[in-house]
Coordinates of all heavy atoms in Angstrom, one line a residue:
A1 N 51.9 7.9 -61.7 CA 51.8 8.0 -60.2 C 52.4 9.2 -59.6 O 52.0 9.8 -58.7 CB 52.4 6.7 -59.6
D2 N 53.5 9.6 -60.3 CA 54.2 10.9 -59.8 C 53.4 12.1 -60.1 O 53.4 13.0 -59.2 CB 55.6 10.9 -60.6 CG 56.4 12.1 -60.1 OD1 56.7 12.2 -58.8 OD2 56.7 13.0 -60.8
L3 N 52.7 12.1 -61.1 CA 51.7 13.2 -61.4 C 50.7 13.3 -60.4 O 50.4 14.4 -59.9 CB 51.1 13.0 -62.8 CG 52.0 13.3 -64.0 CD1 51.4 12.9 -65.3 CD2 52.5 14.8 -64.1
V4 N 50.1 12.2 -60.0 CA 49.1 12.2 -58.9 C 49.7 12.6 -57.6 O 49.1 13.5 -57.0 CB 48.4 10.7 -58.8 CG1 47.4 10.7 -57.6 CG2 47.7 10.3 -60.0
L5 N 50.8 12.1 -57.3 CA 51.5 12.5 -56.0 C 51.8 14.0 -56.1 O 51.7 14.8 -55.0 CB 52.7 11.7 -55.8 CG 52.5 10.2 -55.5 CD1 53.8 9.4 -55.5 CD2 51.8 10.1 -54.2
S6 N 52.2 14.5 -57.2 CA 52.5 15.9 -57.3 C 51.3 16.8 -57.1 O 51.3 17.8 -56.5 CB 53.1 16.2 -58.7 OG 53.3 17.6 -58.9
C7 N 50.2 16.3 -57.6 CA 48.9 16.9 -57.3 C 48.5 17.0 -55.8 O 48.1 18.1 -55.3 CB 47.7 16.3 -58.1 SG 47.8 16.6 -59.8
F8 N 48.7 16.0 -55.2 CA 48.5 15.8 -53.7 C 49.4 16.7 -53.0 O 49.0 17.4 -52.0 CB 48.5 14.4 -53.2 CG 47.3 13.6 -53.5 CD1 47.3 12.6 -54.3 CD2 46.1 13.9 -52.8 CE1 46.2 11.8 -54.5 CE2 44.9 13.2 -53.1 CZ 44.9 12.1 -53.8
G9 N 50.6 16.8 -53.5 CA 51.6 17.8 -52.9 C 51.2 19.2 -53.0 O 51.3 20.0 -52.1
T10 N 50.6 19.5 -54.2 CA 50.1 20.8 -54.4 C 48.9 21.2 -53.5 O 48.8 22.3 -52.9 CB 49.6 21.0 -55.9 OG1 50.7 20.8 -56.7 CG2 49.1 22.4 -56.2
L11 N 48.0 20.2 -53.2 CA 46.9 20.4 -52.2 C 47.5 20.7 -50.9 O 47.0 21.6 -50.1 CB 46.1 19.2 -52.2 CG 45.2 18.9 -53.5 CD1 44.5 17.6 -53.4 CD2 44.2 20.0 -53.7
S12 N 48.5 19.9 -50.5 CA 49.2 20.2 -49.2 C 49.7 21.6 -49.1 O 49.7 22.2 -48.1 CB 50.2 19.1 -49.0 OG 50.8 19.4 -47.8
L13 N 50.4 22.0 -50.1 CA 51.0 23.3 -50.3 C 49.9 24.3 -50.2 O 50.1 25.4 -49.4 CB 51.7 23.5 -51.6 CG 52.4 24.9 -51.9 CD1 53.5 25.1 -50.8 CD2 52.9 24.9 -53.3
H14 N 48.8 24.2 -50.8 CA 47.6 25.2 -50.6 C 47.3 25.4 -49.1 O 47.0 26.4 -48.7 CB 46.4 24.7 -51.5 CG 46.6 24.8 -52.9 ND1 45.7 24.3 -53.8 CD2 47.6 25.3 -53.7 CE1 46.1 24.5 -55.0 NE2 47.2 25.2 -55.0
E15 N 47.2 24.3 -48.5 CA 46.7 24.3 -47.1 C 47.7 24.9 -46.2 O 47.4 25.6 -45.2 CB 46.3 22.9 -46.6 CG 45.0 22.3 -47.3 CD 43.8 23.1 -47.0 OE1 43.6 23.6 -45.9 OE2 43.0 23.2 -48.0
R16 N 49.0 24.5 -46.4 CA 50.1 25.2 -45.6 C 50.2 26.6 -45.9 O 50.3 27.5 -44.9 CB 51.4 24.6 -46.0 CG 51.7 23.1 -45.5 CD 53.1 22.6 -45.5 NE 53.8 22.9 -46.8 CZ 53.9 22.0 -47.7 NH1 53.4 20.8 -47.5 NH2 54.5 22.3 -48.8
R17 N 50.0 27.1 -47.1 CA 49.9 28.6 -47.3 C 48.7 29.3 -46.6 O 48.8 30.3 -46.2 CB 49.9 28.8 -48.8 CG 51.2 28.6 -49.5 CD 51.2 29.0 -50.9 NE 52.5 28.8 -51.5 CZ 52.7 28.7 -52.8 NH1 51.7 28.8 -53.7 NH2 53.9 28.4 -53.3
L18 N 47.6 28.5 -46.7 CA 46.4 29.1 -46.0 C 46.7 29.3 -44.5 O 46.3 30.3 -43.9 CB 45.2 28.2 -46.1 CG 44.4 28.3 -47.3 CD1 43.4 27.2 -47.4 CD2 43.7 29.7 -47.4
T19 N 47.4 28.3 -44.0 CA 47.8 28.4 -42.5 C 48.7 29.6 -42.2 O 48.6 30.3 -41.3 CB 48.5 27.1 -42.0 OG1 47.5 26.0 -42.1 CG2 48.9 27.1 -40.6
R20 N 49.7 29.7 -43.2 CA 50.6 30.9 -43.1 C 49.9 32.2 -43.2 O 50.2 33.1 -42.4 CB 51.8 30.7 -44.1 CG 52.9 31.6 -43.8 CD 54.1 31.4 -44.7 NE 54.0 30.3 -45.6 CZ 54.3 30.3 -46.8 NH1 55.0 31.3 -47.4 NH2 54.2 29.3 -47.7
V21 N 49.0 32.5 -44.2 CA 48.5 33.8 -44.4 C 47.3 34.0 -43.5 O 46.8 35.2 -43.3 CB 48.2 34.0 -45.8 CG1 49.3 33.9 -46.8 CG2 47.1 33.0 -46.3
G22 N 46.7 33.0 -43.0 CA 45.6 33.2 -42.1 C 44.4 32.4 -42.6 O 43.9 32.6 -43.7
R23 N 43.8 31.6 -41.7 CA 42.6 30.8 -42.2 C 41.3 31.6 -41.8 O 40.8 31.4 -40.6 CB 42.6 29.4 -41.5 CG 43.6 28.5 -42.1 CD 43.4 27.1 -41.6 NE 44.3 26.2 -42.2 CZ 44.0 25.6 -43.3 NH1 42.9 25.6 -43.9 NH2 45.0 24.8 -43.8
N24 N 40.9 32.4 -42.7 CA 39.5 32.9 -42.5 C 38.7 32.4 -43.6 O 39.1 31.9 -44.6 CB 39.6 34.5 -42.4 CG 40.2 35.1 -43.7 OD1 39.7 34.8 -44.8 ND2 41.2 36.0 -43.6
R25 N 37.4 32.6 -43.4 CA 36.4 32.1 -44.4 C 36.6 32.5 -45.8 O 36.7 31.7 -46.7 CB 35.0 32.5 -44.0 CG 33.9 31.8 -44.8 CD 32.5 32.0 -44.3 NE 31.5 31.1 -44.8 CZ 31.3 29.9 -44.3 NH1 31.9 29.6 -43.1 NH2 30.5 29.1 -44.8
A26 N 37.0 33.7 -46.0 CA 37.2 34.3 -47.4 C 38.4 33.6 -48.0 O 38.4 33.2 -49.2 CB 37.4 35.8 -47.4
N27 N 39.5 33.6 -47.3 CA 40.8 33.0 -47.7 C 40.6 31.5 -48.1 O 40.9 31.0 -49.1 CB 41.9 33.0 -46.8 CG 42.4 34.4 -46.7 OD1 42.1 35.3 -47.5 ND2 43.3 34.6 -45.7
V28 N 39.9 30.8 -47.2 CA 39.7 29.3 -47.3 C 38.8 29.1 -48.6 O 39.2 28.2 -49.5 CB 39.2 28.6 -46.1 CG1 38.8 27.2 -46.4 CG2 40.2 28.7 -45.0
E29 N 37.8 29.8 -48.7 CA 36.8 29.6 -49.9 C 37.5 29.9 -51.2 O 37.2 29.3 -52.2 CB 35.6 30.4 -49.6 CG 34.6 29.8 -48.6 CD 33.4 30.7 -48.4 OE1 33.3 31.8 -48.7 OE2 32.5 30.1 -47.6
A30 N 38.3 31.0 -51.2 CA 38.9 31.4 -52.4 C 40.0 30.4 -52.9 O 40.1 30.0 -54.0 CB 39.7 32.8 -52.2
V31 N 40.8 29.9 -52.0 CA 41.8 29.0 -52.3 C 41.2 27.6 -52.7 O 41.6 27.0 -53.7 CB 42.9 28.8 -51.3 CG1 43.8 27.7 -51.5 CG2 43.6 30.0 -51.1
R32 N 40.4 27.1 -51.8 CA 39.8 25.7 -52.0 C 38.8 25.8 -53.2 O 38.7 24.8 -54.0 CB 39.0 25.3 -50.8 CG 40.0 24.9 -49.6 CD 39.2 24.4 -48.5 NE 40.1 23.9 -47.4 CZ 39.7 23.5 -46.3 NH1 38.4 23.5 -46.0 NH2 40.6 23.1 -45.3
G33 N 38.0 26.8 -53.3 CA 37.0 26.9 -54.4 C 37.5 26.9 -55.8 O 36.9 26.5 -56.7
V34 N 38.8 27.5 -55.9 CA 39.4 27.7 -57.2 C 40.6 26.8 -57.5 O 40.5 25.9 -58.2 CB 39.8 29.1 -57.5 CG1 40.4 29.3 -58.8 CG2 38.5 30.0 -57.4
D35 N 41.6 27.1 -56.7 CA 42.9 26.3 -56.9 C 42.8 24.9 -56.5 O 43.2 24.0 -57.3 CB 44.0 27.0 -56.0 CG 44.2 28.5 -56.4 OD1 44.0 28.8 -57.6 OD2 44.6 29.3 -55.5
S36 N 42.4 24.6 -55.3 CA 42.3 23.2 -54.9 C 41.3 22.4 -55.8 O 41.5 21.2 -56.0 CB 42.0 23.1 -53.4 OG 43.1 23.7 -52.6
A37 N 40.2 23.0 -56.0 CA 39.2 22.3 -56.9 C 39.7 21.9 -58.2 O 39.5 20.9 -58.7 CB 37.9 23.2 -57.0
S38 N 40.5 22.8 -58.9 CA 41.1 22.5 -60.1 C 42.1 21.3 -59.9 O 42.2 20.5 -60.9 CB 41.7 23.7 -60.8 OG 42.9 24.1 -60.1
V39 N 42.8 21.4 -59.0 CA 43.8 20.2 -58.7 C 43.1 18.9 -58.5 O 43.5 17.8 -59.0 CB 44.8 20.5 -57.4 CG1 45.7 19.3 -57.1 CG2 45.6 21.8 -57.7
W40 N 42.0 19.0 -57.7 CA 41.3 17.7 -57.6 C 40.7 17.3 -58.9 O 40.6 16.0 -59.1 CB 40.1 18.0 -56.5 CG 40.6 17.6 -55.2 CD1 40.9 18.5 -54.1 CD2 40.8 16.3 -54.7 NE1 41.1 17.7 -53.0 CE2 41.2 16.4 -53.3 CE3 40.7 15.0 -55.2 CZ2 41.5 15.3 -52.5 CZ3 41.1 13.9 -54.4 CH2 41.4 14.0 -53.1
Q41 N 40.2 18.2 -59.8 CA 39.7 17.7 -61.1 C 40.8 17.1 -61.8 O 40.6 16.1 -62.5 CB 39.2 19.0 -61.8 CG 38.3 18.7 -62.9 CD 37.2 17.8 -62.6 OE1 36.4 18.0 -61.6 NE2 36.9 16.8 -63.4
E42 N 42.0 17.6 -61.7 CA 43.2 17.0 -62.4 C 43.5 15.6 -61.9 O 43.8 14.6 -62.7 CB 44.4 17.9 -62.2 CG 45.6 17.4 -63.1 CD 46.8 18.3 -63.0 OE1 46.7 19.5 -62.5 OE2 47.9 17.9 -63.4
I43 N 43.4 15.4 -60.6 CA 43.5 14.1 -60.0 C 42.5 13.1 -60.5 O 42.8 12.0 -60.9 CB 43.5 14.2 -58.4 CG1 44.7 14.9 -57.8 CG2 43.4 12.8 -57.8 CD1 44.6 15.3 -56.4
K44 N 41.3 13.5 -60.6 CA 40.2 12.7 -61.1 C 40.4 12.3 -62.5 O 40.3 11.2 -62.9 CB 38.8 13.4 -60.9 CG 37.7 12.6 -61.4 CD 36.4 13.3 -61.2 CE 35.3 12.4 -61.6 NZ 34.0 13.1 -61.6

């Protein structure tokens, strides 16, 4: 359960960083398409 929660925390961190650096299409697609997608795969 802690591993799953840690993964969800990582997803939250990705989104907070996107907000900090700027949410434009290229940034969002890069982070979500690679980093967040791999975290979701780990959750699954």
Side-chain angles (χ1 to χ4, degrees):
D2 185 59
L3 287 171
V4 173
L5 290 172
S6 177
C7 288
F8 279 113
T10 302
L11 292 171
S12 177
L13 180 64
H14 290 171
E15 294 297 323
R16 287 195 313 262
R17 285 185 179 160
L18 275 171
T19 300
R20 192 172 358 137
V21 299
R23 285 188 180 272
N24 60 51
R25 187 174 200 88
N27 286 351
V28 172
E29 286 177 345
V31 171
R32 288 181 178 176
V34 177
D35 300 329
S36 295
S38 67
V39 174
W40 268 108
Q41 194 58 43
E42 187 175 346
I43 290 171
K44 184 178 180 187

